Amino acid sequence: MSDSLFAAFQRAGITGLEAFTDAEAALARITKIYDKGVTILRDAFARFTRGELPGGPVDAFYPFLGIELGREQLNLDARLAYGALHDPGVYGSTLTRPALFGEYYWHQI
């Protein structure tokens, strides 16, 4: 992922970006971010149920996956995907539940 692509995502407010060329390593990072966010939210909710009000926003995030796809990388056979990219460009999305969707994410990455 190029520095200019990182800059584009950062302008959109996305932080903590890291480039991967290995699907297994990317999935491990996705899982770590998701699990950390769930822990933060559960702890904040537990404090709230005890009557403790938060002193500000709770910083928990969904993992973000961004890709830059060139024309030569297009695969228009979408039979095995829930979604397919039909045009070259820059794409990104947040991801949820890697324990549930991890194998799918791994194949798509």
Side-chain angles (χ1 to χ4, degrees), residues 30-74:
I30 288 164
T31 301
K32 182 178 178 180
I33 292 168
Y34 183 82
D35 290 348
K36 180 181 177 183
V38 167
T39 298
I40 290 169
L41 290 173
R42 284 184 177 152
D43 290 347
F45 186 72
R47 286 191 307 274
F48 180 78
T49 60
R50 291 191 305 265
E52 299 173 31
L53 297 178
V58 176
D59 288 330
F61 306 96
Y62 279 104
F64 175 83
L65 178 69
I67 63 168
E68 184 173 24
L69 190 67
R71 184 165 303 284
E72 67 284 351
Q73 297 166 308
L74 290 174

Side-chain angles (χ1 to χ4, degrees), residues 7-20:
F9 289 136
Q10 288 168 336
R11 282 192 302 276
I14 299 161
T15 61
L17 295 168
E18 190 174 339
F20 291 92

